């Protein structure tokens, strides 16, 4: 439901709840950790990092990796933008959490269709 509120019709199957990832981060990181999500998908991890930073004044950073261009552009990066800057839901303005990010496309894939380098 969280993702639908942020992105509207751009749904993603079975996104993890932000509250679950926040709890994992509370247990496993400190305020200056760098968090790697190598299967970023819907961007729940970045959402949880930004939310936790806002709550406790942390300076956690995140690295998200998503290999599917459409998901990376249309879902992951778009969610990051909206969570940082704020968005509207049901006519109400949801305040952004602040922060920033850089979006980069990396070179050609390392593995072929059979999984070989």
């Amino acid at each position: 439901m969280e993702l639908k509120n942020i992105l509207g019709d751009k749904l993603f199957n079975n996104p993890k709840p932000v509250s679950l990832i926040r709890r994992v981060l509370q247990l496993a990181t400190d305020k200056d950790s760098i968090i790697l999500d190598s299967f970023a998908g819907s961007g729940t991890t970045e959402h949880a990092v930004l939310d936790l930073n806002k709550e406790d004044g942390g300076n956690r950073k995140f690295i998200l990796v998503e290999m599917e261009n459409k998901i990376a552009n249309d879902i992951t990066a778009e969610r990051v933008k909206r969570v940082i800057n704020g968005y509207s839901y049901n006519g109400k303005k949801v305040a952004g959490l602040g922060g920033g990010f850089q979006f980069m496309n990396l070179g050609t894939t390392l593995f072929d269709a059979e999984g070989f380098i």
Side-chain angles (χ1 to χ4, degrees):
M1 191 61 142
E2 294 166 331
L3 184 60
K4 185 176 181 183
N5 294 350
I6 297 168
L7 295 177
D9 293 334
K10 296 179 183 178
L11 297 177
F12 196 85
N13 292 333
N14 305 312
K16 298 172 289 296
V18 172
S19 59
L20 171 65
I21 303 305
R22 271 179 45 100
R23 184 63 182 140
V24 171
L25 294 173
Q26 286 172 324
L27 295 171
T29 69
D30 60 45
K31 291 182 178 185
D32 293 311
S33 291
I34 299 173
I35 294 92
L36 171 65
D37 184 350
S38 56
F39 298 96
S42 69
T44 302
T45 298
E46 63 70 27
H47 191 161
V49 168
L50 293 168
D51 194 35
L52 195 54
N53 279 347
K54 182 163 185 156
E55 178 184 296
D56 68 9
N59 190 35
R60 294 168 194 83
K61 295 175 176 56
F62 53 87
I63 299 171
L64 307 178
V65 179
E66 177 52 59
M67 293 181 59
E68 295 292 329
N69 284 333
K70 185 156 180 57
I71 292 173
N73 290 318
D74 297 347
I75 297 175
T76 315
E78 187 60 33
R79 181 177 187 174
V80 175
K81 289 177 200 171
R82 293 182 188 194
V83 168
I84 288 171
N85 298 319
Y87 57 93
S88 294
Y89 171 67
N90 281 347
K92 295 180 183 176
K93 177 75 173 157
V94 177
L97 297 175
F101 78 105
Q102 292 179 332
F103 183 85
M104 296 175 214
N105 286 315
L106 301 179
T108 59
T109 59
L110 182 62
F111 299 99
D112 65 16
E114 288 79 37
F116 296 108
I117 295 178

